[in-house]
Amino acid sequence: MTVVDRWAAESLAALEAQSLVRTLETLDGPVGAQVQVDGASLLNFSGNDYLGLAADPLVLTRVRERLTAIGAGSSRLVVGTQAVHAELEQALAAFEQVEATLLFSSGWAANVGAITALVGPGDVVFSDELNHASLIDGCRLSRAQVQVYRHRDGRHLESLLSQHRGARRLIVTDSIFSMDGDRAPLVELARLAHVHDAALLVDEAHATGVVGPGGAGLCTELKVSPDVRVGTLSKALGGQGAWVGGSAALRSLVLNRARSFVFSTGLSPVLCVAGLVALEVLRGDGARREALHRNMDTLARGLSTLGFDARPGSAIFPVVLHDVALALDAASKLRERGLLVKAIRPPTVPEGTSRLRLSVTATHTPEQIVTLLTALE
């Protein structure tokens, strides 16, 4: 046994003792409302493909028609920028009504890159305690002082802002939180940023394509204009990659200082084309978003009837069971009934909040939602 194998065995044993070991599960085909796993057909209520675009035949056909290259071939600052990168960045800027955007290979890279480009030693960053891990790591890697405020608690944030004057200050939040599906108080956060001369960064990953006029996100819905907007191509838009949006000056700064951009191969042209097609579909097919919102309403009402606190503010619905073993057992019993609902455990969620994370899409039928609710009951 090598040294690394010994370390791995020790660490895995510790995880096993807490029922926290994870393994990969391979789908026998594309993602969708119904998936094939190990020969079994399961209703999928665990993904983020909110508009059903990830394997949509129309999207696939239109991507093939426009495809001219597979890889960027280099980092964007060397010879990795192609015309399709610029086209997608311009389309995303128009979509979010910002001056400019910059593409990244993932939402993780975008959040880490933007935060570390903006703040550093001597600065202070204020982070909601339930922010996504990519925001948390961006704060840590920036080497700025990190102040964590209570979830959605503007009063606590204001108190912390008042205690840290005389430095660059950045407020960082998700717009829709990925594990609870609740919304950040963006209007209040924008007011606090203005009053305290701080900047505001909002990650719209789970809001893009889902809420707001034309699916442009929660910031657009609430008429909030943060200094930095991060969006992703990998959820409602069905592809992969992300962008940082804001002013032209912000784009130039991030382009020059974000290590996750500078030292990474450019986003695949395939994914750029897929992003452009998805945006076109989103703009031209309001029926998808209408179907998604009908399903969000239906699931929220059904969960409320079962006694769960459920609101149709997003496509994410947590069923918090607290105990790790209980969450795993519930997920197993649902699978026996033909439902793929993943148990979410620490460190993805805080200790004592293990849960089933339900997510609904535009492609789920009313009958499939009834099947889920019946099984939960």
Side-chain angles (χ1 to χ4, degrees):
M1 179 181 289
T2 67
V3 172
V4 170
D5 286 343
R6 187 173 72 250
W7 293 349
E10 293 168 353
S11 298
L12 287 169
L15 289 173
E16 183 65 44
Q18 303 171 75
S19 299
L20 296 180
V21 171
R22 293 162 169 79
T23 58
L24 296 176
E25 188 165 54
T26 303
L27 303 185
D28 302 326
V31 70
Q34 192 133 10
V35 295
Q36 302 292 320
V37 182
D38 293 332
S41 181
L42 302 173
L43 294 182
N44 175 25
F45 284 94
S46 285
N48 298 322
D49 182 27
Y50 301 129
L51 295 177
L53 294 177
D56 183 81
L58 173 62
V59 173
L60 288 170
T61 298
R62 291 171 66 180
V63 168
R64 292 189 190 102
E65 290 171 351
R66 291 200 51 180
L67 192 58
T68 59
I70 301 300
S74 173
S75 71
R76 292 279 304 280
L77 288 172
V78 184
V79 291
T81 297
Q82 299 182 16
V84 71
H85 290 103
E87 184 181 356
L88 179 54
E89 286 171 342
Q90 291 166 7
L92 290 167
F95 173 63
E96 290 202 326
Q97 298 180 11
V98 296
E99 196 172 13
T101 66
L102 185 68
L103 287 168
F104 283 77
S105 59
S106 69
W108 191 290
N111 279 329
V112 169
I115 295 170
T116 56
L118 289 167
V119 292
D123 302 327
V124 186
V125 60
F126 302 85
S127 177
D128 187 290
E129 66 178 335
L130 294 186
N131 273 340
H132 187 266
S134 58
L135 292 172
I136 294 170
D137 282 2
C139 294
R140 291 171 174 169
L141 290 169
S142 72
R143 295 182 292 169
Q145 182 182 353
V146 180
Q147 294 290 316
V148 178
Y149 62 91
R150 291 187 292 270
H151 183 49
R152 304 178 67 250
D153 190 335
R155 287 187 178 182
H156 188 212
L157 172 59
E158 184 163 28
S159 173
L160 293 174
L161 284 164
S162 299
Q163 295 171 36
H164 295 84
R165 301 181 184 276
R168 288 184 178 183
R169 290 173 295 174
L170 174 66
I171 301 167
V172 173
T173 186
D174 286 292
S175 64
I176 290 177
F177 292 88
S178 62
M179 289 297 120
D180 290 271
D182 54 349
R183 298 179 170 197
L186 294 185
V187 173
E188 184 177 13
L189 297 185
R191 180 188 68 81
L192 290 173
H194 175 73
V195 169
H196 291 272
D197 192 32
L200 175 62
L201 181 152
V202 178
D203 180 359
E204 292 263 54
H206 292 275
T208 301
V210 176
V211 301
L218 188 59
C219 290
T220 302
E221 178 177 305
L222 299 177
K223 296 181 173 59
V224 169
S225 298
D227 301 275
V228 188
R229 286 177 71 169
V230 177
T232 179
L233 298 163
S234 62
K235 295 178 175 60
L237 294 179
Q240 186 177 329
W243 68 89
V244 172
S247 67
L250 169 71
R251 182 183 189 276
S252 183
L253 176 65
V254 174
L255 183 151
N256 279 278
R257 293 189 61 179
R259 293 172 67 85
S260 55
F261 176 85
V262 175
F263 298 102
S264 183
T265 297
L267 187 66
S268 165
V270 178
L271 298 171
C272 292
V273 172
L276 285 166
V277 172
L279 280 177
E280 292 170 6
V281 172
L282 182 61
R283 285 193 295 262
D285 186 1
R288 286 180 186 264
R289 290 187 62 243
E290 291 172 6
L292 173 60
H293 281 261
R294 283 196 302 272
N295 287 343
M296 287 160 52
D297 290 340
T298 299
L299 185 53
R301 287 196 304 271
L303 289 171
S304 296
T305 299
L306 294 178
F308 296 105
D309 183 15
R311 300 179 181 88
S314 76
I316 302 163
F317 298 88
V319 174
V320 180
L321 301 173
H322 305 289
D323 182 72
V324 171
L326 187 60
L328 288 170
D329 187 48
S332 176
K333 285 182 166 60
L334 287 172
R335 182 168 296 215
E336 292 172 4
R337 292 161 173 78
L339 292 148
L340 182 59
V341 177
K342 292 287 188 174
I344 307 298
R345 299 162 281 166
T348 307
V349 293
E351 293 284 348
T353 68
S354 291
R355 66 194 64 191
L356 302 175
R357 178 191 182 271
L358 307 175
S359 57
V360 71
T361 72
T363 55
H364 283 112
T365 66
E367 293 77 16
Q368 289 172 335
I369 295 174
V370 169
T371 298
L372 169 64
L373 291 169
T374 301
L376 282 170
E377 184 178 20

